[in-house]
Amino acid sequence: KNEVEQSPQNLTAQEGEFITINCSYSVGISALHWLQQHPGGGIVSLFMLSSGKKKHGRLIATINIQEKHSSLHITASHPRDSAVYICAAPIRGAGSYQLTFGKGTKLSVIP
Amino acid sequence: NAGVTQTPKFQVLKTGQSMTLQCAQDMNHNSMYWYRQDPGMGLRLIYYSASEGTTDKGEVPNGYNVSRLNKREFSLRLESAAPSQTSVYFCASSPEHPSYYEQYFGPGTRLTVT
């Protein structure tokens, strides 16, 4: 059972397109993380949000806690945005809250 | 600041061999984590240390042991490697646990068990 689901799994876009990646979760949470995994394998945190919207450059993340849904938007996409985007939520495991990760969305932006 | 460092970057083991993956952070974080990443699956938590002196099992702890040597260092040991442990291993740290804080990841260790 996947408690954190992402869609789409793969996404190909033309440079300049507006991109949306979706994340839904099945249990109540109070915050959600978005991360980026570069083609070389490194993982960096993009956002941690608990309500509303956050913006960093061309990246915008939104969350609706009640609807159990978050989106990551990329405006004016560029080939350097090509990466795997991962959402993660702190979900109670045995004894404590642990980050549960989606399987990721692989984004390819074509010049 | 180096952030989170991991050694080695690559390793090939034979079934039954043992090894220790090293992780260190220089951000004075209290919490540290070990994850594995397999194709087609999300990152999965192996063990974590919420603070110096404590360690707890995550989702997939079987076949692994950990040591929180001090506040900076958190090592992962495979006592008898199996092919099922072929994976990419990531160490991460965050200021506090639980996971309401941003996590900082190391570059990963690619392990192959033959």
Side-chain angles (χ1 to χ4, degrees):
Chain A
K1 171 183 86 149
N2 254 4
E3 291 170 306
V4 179
E5 299 272 2
Q6 286 185 241
S7 63
Q9 270 188 290
N10 293 284
L11 182 56
T12 300
Q14 290 291 132
E15 184 173 355
E17 282 186 12
F18 180 85
I19 286 160
T20 296
I21 297 169
N22 295 300
C23 178
S24 60
Y25 43 93
S26 57
V27 297
I29 63 169
S30 56
L32 186 123
H33 299 250
W34 281 101
L35 306 103
Q36 180 192 55
Q37 185 165 25
H38 299 297
I43 299 173
V44 295
S45 179
L46 297 174
F47 296 102
M48 199 281 292
L49 68 167
S50 55
S51 65
K53 178 195 291 192
K54 281 194 176 179
K55 186 173 189 287
H56 185 242
R58 294 178 295 105
L59 272 60
I60 303 165
T62 63
I63 190 168
N64 186 320
I65 290 285
Q66 287 76 23
E67 292 191 6
K68 298 187 173 62
H69 183 267
S70 177
S71 294
L72 178 69
H73 306 286
I74 305 175
T75 62
S77 60
H78 190 276
R80 65 174 174 266
D81 297 325
S82 298
V84 176
Y85 292 85
I86 302 168
C87 67
I91 291 175
R92 192 164 187 91
S96 180
Y97 286 90
Q98 300 162 11
L99 272 188
T100 298
F101 295 80
K103 293 183 180 179
T105 295
K106 185 174 181 182
L107 172 65
S108 301
V109 181
I110 299 168
Chain B
N1 286 351
V4 180
T5 57
Q6 289 182 237
T7 55
K9 285 192 166 50
F10 301 94
Q11 184 72 48
V12 179
L13 291 178
K14 289 185 169 32
T15 297
Q17 288 185 318
S18 62
M19 78 161 294
T20 299
L21 282 64
Q22 307 285 356
C23 174
Q25 52 90 11
D26 62 2
M27 296 173 281
N28 201 36
H29 285 170
N30 284 317
S31 304
M32 298 184 73
Y33 307 85
W34 276 106
Y35 297 99
R36 61 178 288 173
Q37 185 178 43
D38 301 297
M41 305 193 72
L43 286 151
R44 291 182 293 169
L45 182 65
I46 304 171
Y47 270 94
Y48 67 99
S49 171
S51 60
E52 188 179 354
T54 70
T55 59
D56 285 287
K57 294 177 181 178
E59 182 185 350
V60 287
N62 290 346
Y64 305 95
N65 284 301
V66 289
S67 296
R68 183 76 183 265
L69 304 167
N70 47 55
K71 192 170 186 179
R72 287 187 66 247
E73 297 171 289
F74 188 39
S75 62
L76 178 73
R77 182 159 178 85
L78 286 71
E79 289 291 352
S80 178
S84 60
Q85 294 177 304
T86 294
S87 189
V88 181
Y89 292 84
F90 288 95
C91 176
S93 71
S94 71
E96 298 291 344
H97 185 78
S99 306
Y100 300 120
Y101 296 86
E102 182 178 344
Q103 292 197 4
Y104 296 79
F105 287 79
T109 295
R110 188 173 293 272
L111 174 68
T112 303
V113 183
T114 60

